[in-house]
Amino acid sequence: MQEALKYVEENKEKFIEELKEYLRIPSVSAASEHKKNMIECAKFVQRKLKEAGVKKTKIFKTEKHPLVYGEWLGAKGKPTVLIYGHYDVQPPEPLELWTTPPFEPEIRNGQIYARGADDNKGQNFIHIKAVEAFTKTLGKLPVNVKFILEGEEEVGSESIAKFLKTNKSLLKCDAVLISDTSLYDKGIPTINYGLRGLTYAEVEVTGPNRDLHSGSYGGAVANPINVLAKMIAKLHDENGKVTIPGFYKNVKKLSKKEKELIRKLNFSDTKMARDLKVRELAGEKGFTTLERLWARPTLDCNGIYGGYTGEGAKTVLPSKATAKISMRLVPNQHPKEIFRAFSKYIKSIAPKSVKVKVTEMHGGFPIAFSLNDKAIKAGAKAVSKAFGKETVFTREGGSIPIVVDFVKVLKAPVVLMGFGLDSDNIHSPNEHFSLDSFFKGVYSSIYFMDEFSRSK
Ligand code: BES
Ligand code: ZN
């Protein structure tokens, strides 16, 4: 294994150049004009897998974006690790807020800036390079490795979910390894054991059959924007609780032990507030910030539009207004049940003067695992070795919907070994990833394969 670690040390510049090449491909899964780039990016990943010594690779076409599969199964009698990641990225807009263009990676102060630098190209590239370090030095890996990289994580992971059901044996493994989460803090080795789920809805409110002059009609008919704003305001009470009937019905309470673990992490509200330039944090009363982020469900409006939003002023009473509303879920909430409860409630609070249409977008189940699994223990040991510190265990506020499917279909433990930071601006302008974290990630992956090889 020492040889593999040394290989990383000696090839840092090469790895960075290759990562830059990966980051130059605008693989925005949500935008149809980037369909070609998605194919280009899948091919790039396949090429990198091959160069890393993963000889058997295949690109699977799907209804939307291709899946990249690879396997190296030369470690007879040793466990098999399935490495998952996503090569798609979020749209880079608003472009004017980027210091350097999103698909022209640049290094500043030890950070690589580009869309996807952290989420998730930088993080999945870690494992490709760890595999390469083994094959180029020892000619083999300590465990069997399979890769599955998808191009739809940022838009709901539908194709991979279908693929998983019909390709159970192809993806059969003893553990799934994923780097798509964050460190608790800079330099702190972290294993994540929980993700929130998601229900995403679009609410369209329609008033009059056409846009109207706000002088001739203002006061006579309902304004869909005013109505929608009022409806959204009704979704929370004065204590920050979501008002949808039944919303909290199945929410699993935090155990005393977990509350204590969270308390020991010593999270600083002041530091977060300072970093975000707000005077104070906000949210559901009666819970600490980490409890609210990791173990409480929330509801947020992600976007609202309607009427005139161009330059200057236009006196108009719009015909329609729309809001995109997401709910982050925790165990044991069910995304479909929550959607139904939301839809019923939002319709019930709409006045007769408007029509309301509610559409379900993508969703995903929440999850929290036990820390007693040997794969998770091997993961904790590996990151601790790479960072030279004791590992902390966290949950995340974000979602990776396919994780639940991996657990259900493959019946394998999932090791969430993330190397990002909450301050990396994922999904936002100036996304970046620390090169130091990247290389510590590569070491962690090498240590993990070594550690896990001894578990069977
Ligand atoms: N890498 C994130 C998940 C994540 C976010 C982990 C924040 C840790 C902290 C992932 O790429 C992501 O953004 N997931 C989406 C899923 C959704 C589109 C179904 C999310 O959480 O919004
Ligand atoms: Zn993301």
Side-chain angles (χ1 to χ4, degrees):
M1 189 184 52
Q2 291 310 323
E3 298 88 331
L5 297 170
K6 193 159 155 248
Y7 178 86
V8 179
E9 204 57 48
E10 287 166 354
N11 284 278
K12 284 190 165 170
E13 286 307 314
K14 172 180 112 82
F15 289 5
I16 294 172
E17 284 316 306
E18 291 176 10
L19 175 59
K20 279 188 177 168
E21 210 183 315
Y22 194 6
L23 292 170
R24 276 189 206 110
I25 308 169
S27 48
V28 182
S29 50
S32 49
E33 78 252 33
H34 287 296
K35 206 168 162 43
K36 274 211 178 106
N37 302 118
M38 296 303 292
I39 298 168
E40 180 193 350
C41 200
K43 286 188 178 151
F44 174 87
V45 173
Q46 181 181 38
R47 177 154 63 83
K48 289 293 141 188
L49 286 175
K50 282 188 179 157
E51 285 171 13
V54 181
K55 288 198 193 87
K56 203 171 155 194
T57 61
K58 192 171 171 180
I59 293 187
F60 288 91
K61 285 206 183 114
T62 72
E63 270 168 43
K64 236 190 230 157
H65 303 306
L67 280 164
V68 188
Y69 173 80
E71 64 179 37
W72 184 95
L73 304 177
K76 288 252 147 43
K78 292 291 180 187
T80 301
V81 179
L82 173 69
I83 296 168
Y84 160 85
H86 62 95
Y87 66 84
D88 66 322
V89 299
Q90 285 275 332
E93 288 79 11
L95 295 176
E96 66 280 11
L97 296 184
W98 286 78
T99 307
T100 47
F103 298 109
E104 293 175 26
E106 197 185 87
I107 297 170
R108 299 194 290 276
N109 300 323
Q111 313 280 325
I112 186 158
Y113 283 81
R115 169 58 85 234
D118 163 334
D119 185 13
N120 171 255
K121 289 175 176 172
Q123 295 217 59
N124 62 55
F125 205 54
I126 281 174
H127 302 291
I128 302 182
K129 293 296 114 180
V131 165
E132 176 179 319
F134 274 117
T135 60
K136 289 275 150 83
T137 53
L138 304 171
K140 58 180 185 183
L141 294 165
V143 287
N144 298 299
V145 169
K146 294 179 178 176
F147 277 95
I148 187 83
L149 287 129
E150 69 156 319
E152 295 175 24
E153 197 274 346
E154 301 292 7
V155 290
S157 295
E158 260 175 55
S159 298
I160 191 179
K162 274 191 201 153
F163 182 84
L164 182 57
K165 278 193 199 130
T166 46
N167 291 276
K168 255 195 240 181
S169 59
L170 183 72
L171 299 179
K172 188 175 177 315
C173 61
D174 298 290
V176 183
L177 178 61
I178 305 177
S179 294
D180 195 22
T181 49
S182 301
L183 299 173
Y184 178 62
D185 207 347
K186 211 170 146 185
I188 309 279
T190 307
I191 293 289
N192 183 277
Y193 67 94
L195 293 161
R196 286 200 284 186
L198 190 72
T199 291
Y200 204 116
E202 188 177 84
V203 180
E204 187 187 76
V205 172
T206 308
N209 62 357
R210 59 187 189 273
D211 284 4
L212 303 169
H213 188 290
S214 68
S216 315
Y217 288 92
V221 290
N223 178 326
I225 302 181
N226 298 3
V227 170
L228 180 58
K230 209 167 171 180
M231 285 161 61
I232 292 170
K234 276 192 188 159
L235 295 172
H236 287 98
D237 71 10
E238 64 287 0
N239 294 318
K241 281 216 176 334
V242 176
T243 50
I244 301 167
F247 188 73
Y248 295 97
K249 190 176 70 186
N250 296 323
V251 169
K252 192 173 167 192
K253 284 213 176 85
L254 274 175
S255 66
K256 270 212 179 112
K257 200 172 142 208
E258 219 184 330
K259 272 191 169 222
E260 184 54 24
L261 273 176
I262 292 181
R263 201 188 56 76
K264 278 202 187 132
L265 288 173
N266 238 336
F267 182 84
S268 164
D269 280 20
T270 329
K271 190 165 162 249
M272 187 186 235
R274 205 185 315 127
D275 174 45
L276 301 174
K277 296 202 168 56
V278 292
R279 264 186 297 170
E280 60 177 20
L281 301 183
E284 190 186 2
K285 285 216 177 103
F287 297 91
T288 66
T289 302
L290 286 187
E291 287 170 0
R292 299 197 303 272
L293 285 171
W294 295 352
R296 295 295 294 169
T298 49
L299 180 148
D300 278 288
C301 187
N302 296 252
I304 177 160
Y305 53 98
Y308 184 67
T309 54
E311 198 183 339
K314 177 186 180 188
T315 48
V316 64
L317 199 162
S319 161
K320 272 186 202 316
T322 309
K324 305 219 183 245
I325 294 175
S326 70
M327 286 150 270
R328 294 282 170 179
L329 314 180
V330 299
N332 298 314
Q333 286 177 298
H334 190 298
K336 287 242 180 288
E337 274 174 23
I338 293 295
F339 175 76
R340 278 195 289 272
F342 170 79
S343 176
K344 192 170 164 198
Y345 182 61
I346 199 98
K347 283 181 187 156
S348 80
I349 59 174
K352 268 203 194 124
S353 50
V354 296
K355 280 198 236 44
V356 178
K357 189 171 124 200
V358 188
T359 313
E360 187 176 10
M361 320 280 276
H362 50 65
F365 280 89
I367 194 162
F369 336 103
S370 117
L371 293 170
N372 283 327
D373 191 273
K374 53 186 181 203
I376 293 185
K377 285 189 175 146
K381 254 197 188 163
V383 286
S384 174
K385 272 194 190 165
F387 285 77
K389 281 198 187 126
E390 206 174 312
T391 302
V392 303
F393 296 91
T394 63
R395 284 166 69 164
E396 281 288 1
S399 317
I400 311 174
I402 199 66
V403 167
V404 177
D405 302 57
F406 283 142
V407 173
K408 280 189 193 156
V409 180
L410 301 178
K411 312 236 176 317
V414 176
V415 183
L416 293 169
M417 181 190 277
F419 302 99
L421 281 178
D422 286 346
S423 54
D424 282 350
N425 286 11
I426 66 171
H427 296 203
S428 165
N430 301 312
E431 175 174 353
H432 55 280
F433 188 37
S434 144
L435 291 174
D436 183 57
S437 294
F438 173 79
F439 290 110
K440 291 221 168 79
V442 182
Y443 297 133
S444 303
S445 179
I446 291 173
Y447 284 129
F448 176 76
M449 289 186 235
D450 176 62
E451 200 63 56
F452 195 53
S453 73
R454 289 192 290 272
S455 73
K456 200 170 181 175

